[in-house]
Amino acid sequence: MSIKYRPEIDGLRALAVIPVILFHSGLGIATGGYVGVDVFFVISGFLISSIIFAEMEAGSFSLLKFYERRARRILPALFFIMAICLPWAWFWMDNRQWSEFSESLIWTSFFSSNIFFWQDSDYFASAAELKPLLHTWSLAGEEQFYLIFPLLVMLLWAAKKRVLQSVLWIVGLASFALCVWAAPKFPEANFFLTPFRFWELLAGVFCAYAIKTKIRHQLISNRPVHEALSWLGLGCILYSILTFDKDTAFPSAWTLFPVLGSGLIILFADGKTIIGRLLSLRPFVFIGLISYSAYLWHHVIFAFMRIRFQDDAGPQIMIISSIVSLGLAGLTWKFIEQPFRVKKAPGEKSNWLKSQSAVFLSSGVAIALFAGTGALQMKGIVMPQKHKDLKIFVSAMHDIAQERRDLIGDNECDFFPARRWKRKWNCKQNSGVNENLIPVPIAILGDSHAADKAMILRIGGYAPMQYTGGLCNITPSMMTKFCRSLFDFAKADIQKNDNLKEIWLANDLNETELTNEAVSELIEYWKIDGKKVVFFAAMPHFRNRKEKPATLFSTAQYSPVEPNWELYEESGRPWIREKLQQNGFEYFDTK
C-alpha cells in the first residue's frame, strides 16, 4: 500500500543533501551542513512508519515485502558505488589506505560500517576525508533501525494503540537522554552508533503517527499557525546549517534544532503553505529525488580526489567534484535506482529480475562478493603490485619498527589515533622495555616527536613518564577533543605526582603555533606550579619539493628529499625564547 506523495518531502531531502555536500567539500560553506544527515533520519522514520502503519491498518503488512522494498531502494545504488570504488582504490591508494578501505568494504557489505568507523575514525578529523565509505555509517544506522522497528510494531500492534505509542515514546526519550548523556563522555560512540540516534528516526515516526491519527489537526487547525510553524521549522534547520561547526557537541541537545525543524516541516509545510510550495518547486524536488545517489557519490569522489591530488585538492577541484557528483547522481537515479525499484506490474510477463526471490538472491550474492573481496584484499591475496612490493619492504623492517614501538610505549604511553588512550592508558616509567630502567623525574608530552625523545631516554637506560599521542598538538586551541582529554588528564596526573619535576613539550610545530597568541596560550595551559617546563624547538622537515602536481592520469613528481629548517628557525626567534623564559619555561635547541 502506497501513501500520498508529497513533493515538499523531496524538497526537504534537497535541503538535507546540499548542505552535506557543501560541508564535506571543505569550502567553508555550511559549517553545520552535516546536520543534513539528521534531516534524512527524520524523513526516513516518517516515510517508513507511514507505510507500515497504513499496511498494518489494512492487514496487508508483510515483513518480507518490507525488506524487499528496502533492498530495492538502497542496495543497487550502494553496490554500484562500492564497485566503482575498487579501481580507484587499486590505482590511487597507498598501502595503509588500501588496508583500511578493504576492511570498510566488509563492514559496509553487512550494514555495520557505523560500528567499524566508530572504532576507527573521528568523523570531523582531516584523516576521515580520505575514507571513501565513511558516509555509509548513516546507511548502516538506518538499516539497523529497519531491522528493529517493524518487529516492534508487529509485536505491539495487536495491543491497544496507546501501548505502542507509549513504548515508542519511552524508547525515544531514553535514546535522547542517552545521546545527551554520552555527548561529552563518549562522543565517537554517540555519533556513530544507532542507540544514540534512534530518537531521531523515531521523531519521524511520531510525525507519521500524528498525521495518521489526525492529532495534528485536532491540536492545531489554524492555517496561519501552520504557516508560522513551517517557517519556524525552516529556521531551525537553517540555523543549524549556518551556525554549527565541527566543534559543536553533536549529536546532543543541539540536535533538537534540525530534528525539530524537520518535524515541523513534515507536519505543517503542506502544499497550502509558502514553505510547502517553495520546497515543491521542480529544482528542489529533482534534487530530492536524486538525493540518495548524490549522498553516495559525493563523499566517494571527494575522498578519491583528496587521495589523488593531496595538497593540490583545492577549492576548484572540490567545486568541480560537487557538480560532477550531482551529475552522476542524476544518471545513477535514472539508470540504477529507478529500474530496480519498479516491480513487475499486474499482467506483465514474468521478469526474473523483478521478482522477490531475485532481489534477495542477488543481494546475498553481492554481499558475499564484496565481503569476500575485502577479505582477500586485507589478507594481501588481492592487492596492487606496488603494495606487494611495499609489503615485502615493510616485512623486512618489521623488527626495527617493533623495537621502536616497544621503546615509545606504544598503546601504553603513546597512542595513534590518540582517542584510544582512554581505553588503554597504563603508562609506567618503565613501559615497553623492562623493569631495570632508572626512573627520571621527567614527564614527556606531545606527538610522535615527543615519543621519540622518550625513546632516546629509554635507549640510554632511563625511564621517563610519557603522555603522547599521534598528531596531538600541544597548543590548546589546536588540540583535537581526544588529545585535549589526554593532556587534561596528564596535567592533573603530573600535578599530584611529586616525583615529577620536569615537563618536556615537543611537537611537529607549524606556523600557526608560533604566533604571539598561540605561544601565550601554550604558556597559560602548560604552566604548572612547582614543575619546570622545557619547550623543544622544531625538528627539520624532510620532504620532497613538488615539481609537478598530480593529474587524473599521472602521479606527482618530486625533487630529492632534503631537510627543511625553516620551522626550526621560526621556533627559535628571540621573542619566542624571551617570552618562554619570562614565564619560567626553558627553551631547548634541537640543533
Side-chain angles (χ1 to χ4, degrees), residues 27 94 175 184 238 273 288 313 366 390 493 567 589:
L27 296 172
D94 63 29
S175 174
L238 293 179
T273 63
L390 182 59
D493 202 46
L567 285 172
D589 192 330

Side-chain angles (χ1 to χ4, degrees), residues 64-82:
L64 280 179
K65 287 182 179 178
F66 172 78
Y67 290 135
E68 178 193 355
R69 286 195 300 265
R70 291 298 86 208
R72 289 181 182 278
R73 173 73 175 96
I74 292 172
L75 299 186
L78 174 62
F79 289 155
F80 177 69
I81 298 297
M82 290 167 68

Side-chain angles (χ1 to χ4, degrees), residues 74 168 176 208 281 292 307 343 349 458 468 487 505 531:
I74 292 172
L168 293 178
F176 176 70
L281 292 175
Y292 175 56
I307 288 169
K343 298 180 65 177
K349 291 183 178 180
R458 292 191 179 110
T468 59
F487 291 149
L505 302 176
K531 311 293 182 181

Side-chain angles (χ1 to χ4, degrees), residues 184-480:
K185 298 176 182 292
F186 309 103
E188 316 87 41
N190 198 36
F191 189 92
F192 286 106
L193 300 186
T194 304
F196 305 96
R197 297 282 194 166
F198 211 81
W199 68 275
E200 299 181 47
L201 289 138
L202 285 179
V205 175
F206 297 139
C207 290
Y209 192 85
I211 291 174
K212 175 181 121 25
T213 57
K214 304 190 186 312
I215 292 175
R216 172 189 63 169
H217 289 294
Q218 291 170 5
L219 294 177
I220 304 171
S221 59
N222 188 295
R223 179 55 55 184
V225 175
H226 282 217
E227 194 78 64
L229 289 175
S230 61
W231 277 102
L232 177 61
L234 180 63
C236 286
I237 295 173
L238 293 179
Y239 173 78
S240 308
I241 292 168
L242 298 175
T243 65
F244 291 5
D245 57 29
K246 62 184 179 62
D247 294 320
T248 303
F250 204 90
S252 64
W254 290 108
T255 313
L256 284 169
F257 278 93
V259 170
L260 178 63
S262 303
L264 289 174
I265 287 178
I266 290 171
L267 288 172
F268 301 108
D270 55 27
K272 297 177 182 179
T273 63
I274 294 174
I275 299 301
R277 291 196 296 271
L278 177 65
L279 292 175
S280 298
L281 292 175
R282 291 185 66 180
F284 287 118
V285 171
F286 178 70
I287 293 174
L289 290 171
I290 68 171
S291 61
Y292 175 56
S293 287
Y295 182 77
L296 289 177
W297 270 113
H298 84 281
H299 195 273
V300 167
I301 294 174
F302 289 166
F304 280 111
M305 290 302 99
R306 288 180 171 119
I307 288 169
R308 181 59 177 169
F309 293 100
Q310 299 180 34
D311 295 339
D312 294 323
Q316 185 177 6
I317 288 177
M318 290 297 104
I319 291 170
I320 293 172
S321 297
S322 301
I323 296 170
V324 168
S325 68
L326 289 174
L328 291 174
L331 294 174
T332 305
W333 173 74
K334 183 174 178 60
F335 296 108
I336 303 292
E337 286 192 64
Q338 289 297 98
F340 280 94
R341 290 181 69 181
V342 178
K343 298 180 65 177
K344 184 169 73 71
E348 183 183 348
K349 291 183 178 180
S350 179
N351 186 331
W352 185 81
L353 286 175
K354 292 185 178 181
S355 69
Q356 186 180 87
S357 57
V359 170
F360 291 134
L361 179 60
S362 58
S363 298
V365 170
I367 289 169
L369 285 174
F370 281 114
T373 300
L376 291 174
Q377 291 175 178
M378 281 187 66
K379 290 182 177 295
I381 298 172
V382 177
M383 61 165 41
Q385 185 60 47
K386 63 177 182 179
H387 293 167
K388 291 180 181 178
D389 295 340
L390 182 59
K391 190 174 181 181
I392 294 171
F393 173 76
V394 169
S395 177
M397 298 294 291
H398 177 76
D399 292 341
I400 296 174
Q402 185 58 52
E403 183 180 0
R404 180 182 180 275
R405 283 196 292 270
D406 289 341
L407 287 167
I408 67 170
D410 188 45
N411 281 329
E412 289 181 323
C413 306
D414 184 72
F415 301 89
F416 188 86
R419 67 184 182 86
R420 293 178 181 163
W421 79 268
K422 281 187 178 180
R423 305 181 207 168
K424 299 182 179 179
W425 195 89
N426 187 31
C427 194
K428 309 297 184 217
Q429 287 190 272
N430 57 3
S431 287
V433 190
N434 57 59
E435 296 180 359
N436 298 320
L437 298 178
I438 302 170
V440 289
I442 298 171
I444 299 179
L445 303 101
D447 59 7
S448 59
H449 289 228
D452 283 340
K453 291 170 177 54
M455 175 183 70
I456 296 300
L457 286 176
R458 292 191 179 110
I459 289 173
Y462 300 102
M465 190 66 85
Q466 180 185 345
Y467 312 81
T468 59
L471 305 178
C472 274
N473 202 296
I474 57 174
T475 303
S477 62
M478 301 173 197
M479 296 174 185
T480 65

Side-chain angles (χ1 to χ4, degrees), residues 110-239:
F110 291 109
F111 316 113
S112 52
S113 60
N114 58 334
I115 299 172
F116 170 69
F117 290 116
W118 159 56
Q119 297 174 327
D120 192 61
S121 296
D122 172 7
Y123 183 79
F124 298 104
S126 58
E129 297 176 343
L130 306 180
K131 299 178 188 295
L133 297 177
L134 176 66
H135 60 322
T136 63
W137 74 268
S138 64
L139 299 182
E142 285 194 25
E143 288 294 332
Q144 290 154 20
F145 174 81
Y146 298 152
L147 289 174
I148 298 170
F149 179 71
L151 297 175
L152 186 62
V153 174
M154 291 174 68
L155 180 66
L156 298 174
W157 189 263
K160 291 182 179 180
K161 297 297 188 294
R162 287 189 176 182
V163 174
L164 174 61
Q165 186 180 358
S166 299
V167 170
L168 293 178
W169 272 107
I170 291 169
V171 173
L173 290 173
S175 174
F176 176 70
L178 187 65
C179 169
V180 173
W181 170 79
K185 298 176 182 292
F186 309 103
E188 316 87 41
N190 198 36
F191 189 92
F192 286 106
L193 300 186
T194 304
F196 305 96
R197 297 282 194 166
F198 211 81
W199 68 275
E200 299 181 47
L201 289 138
L202 285 179
V205 175
F206 297 139
C207 290
Y209 192 85
I211 291 174
K212 175 181 121 25
T213 57
K214 304 190 186 312
I215 292 175
R216 172 189 63 169
H217 289 294
Q218 291 170 5
L219 294 177
I220 304 171
S221 59
N222 188 295
R223 179 55 55 184
V225 175
H226 282 217
E227 194 78 64
L229 289 175
S230 61
W231 277 102
L232 177 61
L234 180 63
C236 286
I237 295 173
L238 293 179
Y239 173 78

